[in-house]
Amino acid sequence: MIQSIQNGKVKKWNKLKKKKWREKTQTFLVEGPHLIEEANKSSWPIKELILTEDFRLGFDPGELPVFRVSDEIMSYLSDTETSQGILAVCEMKEIPFRSSFKRVLMLDRVQDPGNAGTIVRTADAMGFDAVIFGKGTVDVYNEKTIRATQGSLFHLPVYRGDLPEWSEQLKKLGFSIWATAIEEGKPFQSLQVPDALGIVFGNEGEGVQEKILTIADERVYIPMKGKAESLNVSIAGGILMYYLQAQA
């Protein structure tokens, strides 16, 4: 039973709130029974379980190290207002990009973790093959991002990297690239949907960067009848992904 915030284990777990430490250790924190059970069911490597004294696991931990901590420490480590009594330290998992992939969504400098996580969740629901987080996009292993995915992080391959480079590589694999943009854009319904498609959504304020717009085969936008100037990026993503899966 760990009761001191000064405990070495507690200090290491708390460091995982910082991207730098997550990258160094290639591990990250997951909070809550639902997310941890999804990670376990999806065979993501769990290194350690952290539980409050009274918490009862819903699955057999096998030989996993299990640490019991006080409520005070759980609250200290928790990213939520009310802790759920369980945390896990998971290893980052690299999933090879498959030649069979046909639908890929890319995020260009999307900085809100709720938006980014919701897009991953929606891409999972709409049958997309992968999501790519470009440079400047919030860290996929940020606790708020993970929570917003509602477990889809463990079902859907998520990659990170330079989006102009990814776009060029996808084109070599036979993908067409659509970038969302009002200027010089076409209504998305007016275009024939290609067999293999990568679609880019941009920063909430600045849109898709010019370098990617230059690479893109098409610029697309969502026609709107009302007076709103724009849509939330996760809502726009949901509209386009629903349309594209219906056309598949």
Side-chain angles (χ1 to χ4, degrees):
M1 183 71 176
I2 300 174
Q3 298 185 353
S4 172
I5 287 174
Q6 300 306 315
N7 181 279
K9 274 285 186 187
V10 176
K11 289 181 177 180
K12 286 183 179 179
W13 293 331
N14 194 52
K15 283 182 178 179
L16 292 177
K17 294 178 181 180
K18 297 180 179 179
K19 181 180 179 180
K20 181 180 178 180
W21 191 256
R22 293 195 292 267
E23 293 292 343
K24 182 177 180 179
T25 61
Q26 289 293 289
T27 60
F28 60 100
L29 284 175
V30 178
E31 181 173 1
H34 169 67
L35 291 176
I36 292 167
E37 286 175 15
E38 289 300 310
N40 184 58
K41 286 191 294 185
S42 302
S43 301
W44 271 63
I46 297 174
K47 291 191 69 176
E48 297 172 329
L49 290 171
I50 307 157
L51 315 176
T52 54
E53 185 176 8
D54 298 329
F55 190 89
R56 294 293 172 259
L57 271 175
F59 62 91
D60 182 4
E63 297 181 5
L64 273 177
V66 177
F67 297 89
R68 295 282 177 177
V69 301
S70 66
D71 291 342
E72 179 188 9
I73 289 175
M74 183 60 73
S75 296
Y76 173 69
L77 295 172
S78 172
D79 188 56
T80 58
E81 192 171 328
T82 304
S83 79
Q84 299 181 59
I86 179 171
L87 289 161
V89 178
C90 290
E91 291 182 13
M92 296 180 185
K93 185 176 178 180
E94 294 293 332
I95 301 171
F97 193 92
R98 301 189 186 101
S99 59
S100 60
F101 287 174
K102 298 296 183 185
R103 293 285 183 270
V104 175
L105 192 139
M106 295 182 274
L107 301 182
D108 178 30
R109 301 168 299 149
V110 173
Q111 296 170 352
D112 182 86
N115 283 338
T118 299
I119 287 170
V120 172
R121 181 182 181 184
T122 308
D124 180 21
M126 294 297 108
F128 267 57
D129 297 307
V131 177
I132 303 170
F133 279 46
K135 290 180 180 179
T137 294
V138 64
D139 184 19
V140 65
Y141 297 110
N142 174 295
E143 290 167 285
K144 291 181 174 64
T145 310
I146 293 170
R147 193 158 60 248
T149 73
Q150 282 294 300
S152 288
L153 171 64
F154 307 117
H155 307 151
L156 183 73
V158 177
Y159 304 97
R160 296 177 288 173
D162 182 74
L163 285 192
E165 290 180 9
W166 267 102
S167 299
E168 295 284 15
Q169 289 300 315
L170 288 172
K171 290 179 80 166
K172 289 177 182 177
L173 294 171
F175 279 73
S176 293
I177 304 297
W178 287 7
T180 52
I182 294 291
E183 189 175 342
E184 299 181 29
K186 300 173 183 176
F188 70 91
Q189 312 100 310
S190 68
L191 297 173
Q192 183 173 348
V193 179
D195 183 48
L197 175 64
I199 184 163
V200 187
F201 288 89
N203 174 274
E204 291 90 342
E206 300 176 6
V208 176
Q209 60 182 286
E210 187 63 34
K211 193 172 181 180
I212 297 173
L213 292 175
T214 302
I215 296 169
D217 297 288
E218 297 285 358
R219 301 182 188 194
V220 301
Y221 69 89
I222 299 171
M224 295 185 291
K225 293 183 177 180
K227 295 180 180 179
E229 290 184 1
S230 63
L231 291 169
N232 173 282
V233 66
S234 64
I235 297 295
I239 291 169
L240 273 169
M241 284 188 277
Y242 182 82
Y243 174 79
L244 292 169
Q245 67 88 22
Q247 301 300 309

